[in-house]
Amino acid sequence: MKMILNGQMVDAASGEVFEVRNPATGQAVDTVPRAGRDDVHAAIEIARCGKSIMAALPAHQRSDILRKAADLIGDELEALSQLLTSENGKTIRQCRFEMATTQRLFADFAEEAKRIRGQYLPMDNVAGLEHMICYTVRQPVGIVVGIIPFNYPAELFAHKIPGAIAAGCSVIVKLPELCPLTVLRIGELMLQAGLPPQGMQMLTGFPQDLGDELLTSPDIRMISFTGSVAAAKAIAGKASTTLKRLAFELGGIDAMIVMEDADLGAAAEGVVQGRLTNGAGQICCAVKRVLVQASVYEKFLDLLLARVAEIRMGDPTSEETDLGPLITPEAADKVHEQVRKSLDLGAKLLIGGKRCGASFYQPTVLSEVTSEMPVMQEEVFGPVAPVLSFEDLDAAVRMANDSPFGLQASVFSENIHSAIRIAHQLEVGGVVINASGAFRPGNVPFGGFKQSGIGRESIVDTVLDMTEEKTIVINEAI
């Protein structure tokens, strides 16, 4: 496949390409252009023209484009799901769910495009200003750069870019180098749906080749990034020279708190679905620390281990598979190293803990973990669940909050009053009660405290963030 500039599928200016490989087999799926600085500069020049074109599109046209794109995605849902599986490694069932979510987000943003509004401000509440009329309007922020990660490329693209289109922005998309194909196809469908060619540019390539112009150009007015804290800090430092608007959705070491009155079976299933199988644990809001009240700790472990033993790992294209590979062998190396170091520090391996082939990693449960271990200090991007006990709820809250991150959390309890009290005390952007914290439907604000991010993404919040509020005052006395 090729990248998209000015509505055309084009090669890189250098003519260089790189391979996109299937994580499950290691085989090449396709090649894409290896963009460089010349391509970035060309994308910015086109986006500069697109800024006025997109801003001039009436809301109903922006809505129609997104709705038609949603319909086209629906028409190709199975083909897109198969493509996503081949380049990303998630199971086909998970990829179908991601593509259905992507389609829904496009449809939701299509509706939100028609809901962008300002407000009337009465001026007679200030003495002497009775002769004035004031109202506000919301206008597009300008050119938005969206930087998309590998783990949920289609869905996370859909959490950002349709919102920018709904707001009337011109966008430049930096695609994940490990799996750009599905999103490129969605880009083609957006053009087919009527998106002006100047409205969205798509670049494939590696950060070290692209240079800093996407981050430093004064023409770029907003950067929406999902990824690591280290990358976000580098982006923020470079973008600070032009005081851009930044939206960062970063990582987490998300805690699940299981109280003694919880439905332990549901909580164990929450670990399996919210940590060990979904995306092979490569989810920013996945359950990453399981805190269980001491009185039910052993019973919970028995239920969890029995459930983990049932997980079917293997070919992600099979309808029977629950767990696919990690994105690369290097990713599996890192997870294994984090587990191994934790075991050296005294953690107990209850199940899993082994590499299988190049990129597969067994679903793993650890006990007797302590705060200094990598599986507790670092974000482990793989199917690993450390489980530890607590005596009282205050201790559970302290343990959950003892982290530089604060993305999501979950609480399992049959006592809704206790669960809500804990939810209010947790230093995180979202708390899910009696379900996994790996939860992001799109219509609720999503984002984190502390180093887990800046800002919130949702159907409403994203569009607001990608618009500027302007105040207009009319002096009737003249």
Side-chain angles (χ1 to χ4, degrees), residues 89-91 277 280 312-314 316 321-326 359-361:
K90 285 197 295 289
T91 68
T277 58
R312 295 162 297 191
M313 183 173 70
T321 300
D322 300 312
L323 174 62
L326 300 185
S359 299
F360 288 85
Y361 198 81

Side-chain angles (χ1 to χ4, degrees), residues 270-329:
V271 175
V272 171
Q273 299 295 333
R275 175 53 173 169
L276 298 177
T277 58
N278 202 351
Q282 300 169 116
I283 309 175
C284 58
C285 59
V287 176
K288 300 194 178 77
R289 294 176 294 158
V290 186
L291 316 180
V292 183
Q293 200 150 16
S295 57
V296 295
Y297 181 74
E298 295 298 333
K299 183 178 180 181
F300 173 82
L301 278 178
D302 289 342
L303 290 169
L304 177 60
L305 292 176
R307 182 64 184 86
V308 172
E310 297 174 349
I311 294 174
R312 295 162 297 191
M313 183 173 70
D315 178 6
T317 65
S318 169
E319 301 288 346
E320 305 302 317
T321 300
D322 300 312
L323 174 62
L326 300 185
I327 189 66
T328 61

Side-chain angles (χ1 to χ4, degrees), residues 365-401:
V365 178
L366 303 175
S367 66
E368 299 180 22
V369 292
T370 56
S371 59
E372 74 275 9
M373 295 178 181
V375 295
M376 293 292 288
Q377 282 193 342
E378 304 169 6
E379 182 177 34
V380 180
F381 236 45
V384 178
V387 187
L388 62 162
S389 66
F390 64 88
E391 292 294 337
D392 57 66
L393 298 184
D394 289 338
V397 171
R398 286 195 301 272
M399 293 165 69
N401 288 340

Side-chain angles (χ1 to χ4, degrees), residues 78-158:
E78 182 61 22
L80 288 166
S81 300
Q82 295 286 348
L83 179 59
L84 182 58
T85 297
S86 71
E87 64 168 338
N88 178 271
K90 285 197 295 289
T91 68
I92 185 60
R93 287 181 287 131
Q94 292 172 13
C95 288
R96 288 193 189 110
F97 185 84
E98 178 174 350
M99 292 314 307
T101 301
T102 299
Q103 180 188 13
R104 176 174 52 78
L105 288 168
F106 268 79
D108 288 346
F109 277 117
E111 293 301 312
E112 193 62 27
K114 297 185 287 188
R115 299 188 185 117
I116 303 170
R117 57 177 64 90
Q119 58 182 324
Y120 170 77
L121 302 174
M123 297 300 288
D124 59 357
N125 56 8
V126 179
L129 301 185
E130 298 87 348
H131 59 285
M132 290 184 171
I133 297 173
C134 181
Y135 65 96
T136 68
V137 295
R138 301 203 72 92
Q139 297 179 332
V141 71
I143 302 175
V144 174
V145 167
I147 304 176
I148 314 301
F150 76 85
N151 53 347
Y152 278 75
E155 181 178 339
L156 293 175
F157 170 85

